[in-house]
Amino acid sequence: MNTVFDKEIIGAMASGIVDDMQAGLFRSGYSSIIRESHDASCAVLLRDGSLAAQKVVLPIHVGAFPAVVKGILNKFNVDLIRPGDCFVCNSPWEGGSPHSPDFAVAVPVFFDDELVAFTSSIAHKSDIGGSVPGSCPANAKDLFSEGLHVPPVRLYCQGEPNSDVVSFISGNSRSPLVVLGDLMGQAGVCFQGADRVEDLFVRFGNEAVFGSFESLRTKSLYLIRERLLEIPDFKDSAFRLMDHDGINLDKPLAIRVVVEKKGPNITFDFSDTDSQGIGPINIRPHLLDAACAYVMVSITNPSLSINQGVLDSFQTITKKGTVVDPEFPA
C-alpha cells in the first residue's frame, strides 16, 4: 500500500461489506424482530478481536463484538479453528451478548492458511426457553432462569452444520423454526461477509489490509481526541436511579459515574454504582464500554467510522459486584 487513497478504498470496501451483511440479515429474517424491528447488528473484526468495521443499528453492540471474538479465542486454540467453521454463543459471561436472547455468530476468515479476521452478527431471538414465553422473565434471579445458556460452540464445522448444536438450540425454544431461521440467516451473512473479506486480502495483500485498518483506527481515535481538546478540562458526576431490580420492588438502584476529562483523555468511573441486584438489572462491563463509545461518537461526528479507535478513546472503571460489573451467576 502506497497511498492514503488505497487505505480509503479498503476502508470503504470493508464498510460496504458490513452494510451488505446488515441488509442481507434483515431480508433473511424469519421473525419480525429481525425483519421489522431490526434488532440485529453486523461487524468485521480482526483476528485479535479488535473492531475493524461495524454498521451501528444498536449502539449497545459496539462493545459487544470484541467480547464475542475474545470469548471464542479464550475457548478455542487458534490452531484448531478451520475455514468453514462458524461459532455461536449467547453468553454474556463467556462471550459478548448483551443478554441471553442475543445470539452472536462469528465466522473466521483465512488468507494464505492464516487466521486474519472474523465476520460476526448479533441478533435477538424470539424464545430460548426459560420460565416464560419470550424468555427473560422480569423476576429472574439468575442467568439460568432466562433460558438456554450457550458458551462459544461450533454451529458449523468446516462448512457442515453441527446437527447436535442445532438440536439442542431447537429443543430449548418454544418457537424453534423461527429461532433457527434467524440463526441460519446470521450464519449465512457471516459466511458471505467472510468470503468478501478474504477477497480484500487476496486483492490487496495482508500488509495492505492490516495497514488500512490500523490507519482507520488511528484516524477515529485522532478525531475524537481532537474534539476532546476543544472541550475545557472538567471533573463532574451524575447518577440515575433504576426503579428496582425486579425482585426487591421497593429498593431503587443507582448507577453513578464520575467523568474526568484532561486534555485528549477522558475517564468514566462507575465504581460508586450500587451493588448488583438480585433480579435481571445488571450488565457486563463491555456493554458499559459500548454506551460510553457512543457518547464519544455523538460528541464528535455521527458519521464517524466505528472501529477499535472509538473504543480506544476512553477508559471505563468499574467495581466488581456492582450493577455494571456483576459477579457470576447474576
mmCIF file of all heavy atoms in Angstrom, residues 89 161 219 288:
data_model
loop_
_atom_site.group_PDB
_atom_site.id
_atom_site.type_symbol
_atom_site.label_atom_id
_atom_site.label_comp_id
_atom_site.label_asym_id
_atom_site.label_seq_id
_atom_site.Cartn_x
_atom_site.Cartn_y
_atom_site.Cartn_z
ATOM 1 N N CYS A 89 -22.796 -18.218 20.162
ATOM 2 C CA CYS A 89 -22.719 -18.020 21.611
ATOM 3 C C CYS A 89 -23.785 -17.012 22.011
ATOM 4 O O CYS A 89 -24.065 -16.071 21.267
ATOM 5 C CB CYS A 89 -21.318 -17.493 21.974
ATOM 6 S SG CYS A 89 -21.113 -17.043 23.717
ATOM 7 N N PRO A 161 -23.124 -28.114 8.884
ATOM 8 C CA PRO A 161 -23.863 -27.785 10.104
ATOM 9 C C PRO A 161 -23.597 -28.809 11.205
ATOM 10 O O PRO A 161 -23.523 -30.017 10.941
ATOM 11 C CB PRO A 161 -25.326 -27.826 9.669
ATOM 12 C CG PRO A 161 -25.294 -27.663 8.186
ATOM 13 C CD PRO A 161 -24.020 -28.300 7.722
ATOM 14 N N LYS A 219 -7.193 7.042 12.820
ATOM 15 C CA LYS A 219 -7.937 8.230 12.389
ATOM 16 C C LYS A 219 -9.138 8.486 13.301
ATOM 17 O O LYS A 219 -9.379 9.632 13.716
ATOM 18 C CB LYS A 219 -8.397 8.054 10.948
ATOM 19 C CG LYS A 219 -9.174 9.253 10.404
ATOM 20 C CD LYS A 219 -9.591 9.021 8.956
ATOM 21 C CE LYS A 219 -10.401 10.198 8.423
ATOM 22 N NZ LYS A 219 -10.822 9.965 7.011
ATOM 23 N N LEU A 288 -21.104 -1.457 29.053
ATOM 24 C CA LEU A 288 -20.789 -0.125 29.554
ATOM 25 C C LEU A 288 -19.847 0.576 28.572
ATOM 26 O O LEU A 288 -20.015 1.758 28.254
ATOM 27 C CB LEU A 288 -20.131 -0.252 30.926
ATOM 28 C CG LEU A 288 -20.148 0.967 31.849
ATOM 29 C CD1 LEU A 288 -21.574 1.345 32.196
ATOM 30 C CD2 LEU A 288 -19.361 0.667 33.106
#
